[in-house]
Amino acid sequence: MKRPAFFQTPESRKGDIITAALRIIDQRGVKGLTVSQLAQEVGFVESALYRHFKSKRDLISFILDNILQDAWNYLAEVEEKTEDSLEALRQLIYLFLNFLEQFPGIFKIIYSDEIYLGDRELQDKIDRVISEIISFLKKVIQKAITQKKLKSGLDITVAAMHFLGLIYTAFSYWTLKKRRVPLKRISSELLDQYLEGVRA
Amino acid sequence: MKRPAFFQTPESRKGDIITAALRIIDQRGVKGLTVSQLAQEVGFVESALYRHFKSKRDLISFILDNILQDAWNYLAEVEEKTEDSLEALRQLIYLFLNFLEQFPGIFKIIYSDEIYLGDRELQDKIDRVISEIISFLKKVIQKAITQKKLKSGLDITVAAMHFLGLIYTAFSYWTLKKRRVPLKRISSELLDQYLEGVRA
DNA sequence: CTATAATGTGAGTGAATATTCACTTACATA
DNA sequence: TATGTAAGTGAATATTCACTCACATTATAG
């Protein structure tokens, strides 16, 4: 898997800070990401953060922007490479879960009520990430129906939401099991159950 | 649907406060539940809260305790009344969603990282609610397998998680659609897809 | 009617938090 | 050598937040 865009220049200070921020969010939640904690994790003093980001909000916003960018690249890649649309769905779930396994903090940002309800602009960004993903999923599912791999009567929107829900479910289960079970195993079983339900 | 236990004495001040708290959490998230906001919503001054609850943490804890109690009652009721285990699953999803439609704040508490990661004891309570529900689901699914209504080779734990995930998925979709679509319609379609995948 | 308990008020405290600011240091480049 | 720049420092500031306390009001039971 390619590194997310903001990790492609790992020597940059911004990259360091974001890595630290995501680690903190992963471990202590969005609420745990305080400027003080962040400074401690990065290894500088609180005020130094503002050399790199205008505000804490700006930091989150920056991360979200890059996710959107990356998400798009990843998805395009899968679409391009995979002929079989059923296989594409399998690829997609692995792609998402690999990503989340590496950067669980991103997942927490997206699903965080604290961010979502706290800031209209960030809320819009998150909405855009989600709807980008959903409309992509719908496209894949539509294609699978056309190829007669999935049921013809399927409600495409619900099927897409259901699929996205699997990712959340796998992540929850993974968390519940203290991350001791490999995500791939969980998701594989889930996906089988899902596909059985929607297959033609 | 019966009222949750803590609403059965709606004349009590505690009931008023909890109603207000849940409304705030629903609208502004767990982060939005500040003592100041709560006081404003209830219609008294901040310090008055402490006549009724030892602390804000105590308020949350009280709510969780009552959910646990109620969850148990509801689940027992479904188990008792419903013979057909497949029908029980359908009843369960409606039960959960009705509950969430009425008290979305409760859902947000349970899924809130802020609470979950912030307080060990509350975390334990939430864990208990979740595992209570999951073990109940596993029991129902096991029974359905015995009755040969569900696949014999099914991974019961994954099937239970998947089912619980449907509730989250329905709730997310409902939120995404600004609550303009009835939850029941969404969940019905989801459940069909789910059942197709696990049915014998 | 009065004593008591329940409930509410207003003022205030301390801790946490994000942010600003003036100043420094290391290094690169003209 | 002079100057610009990226990064960091330490102190200060404003705000928010949960919580306390002494005092006031209201309701109710004897």
Side-chain angles (χ1 to χ4, degrees), chain B residues 13 44-45 47 51-52:
Chain B
R13 214 64 179 106
F44 55 28
V45 102
S47 51
R51 291 274 165 236
H52 307 277

Side-chain angles (χ1 to χ4, degrees), chain A residues 13-21 38 42 44 49 52-53 59:
Chain A
R13 213 65 179 106
K14 269 191 172 174
D16 295 343
I17 294 170
I18 284 173
T19 310
L38 183 57
V42 174
F44 54 29
L49 169 68
H52 308 276
F53 294 96
L59 167 68

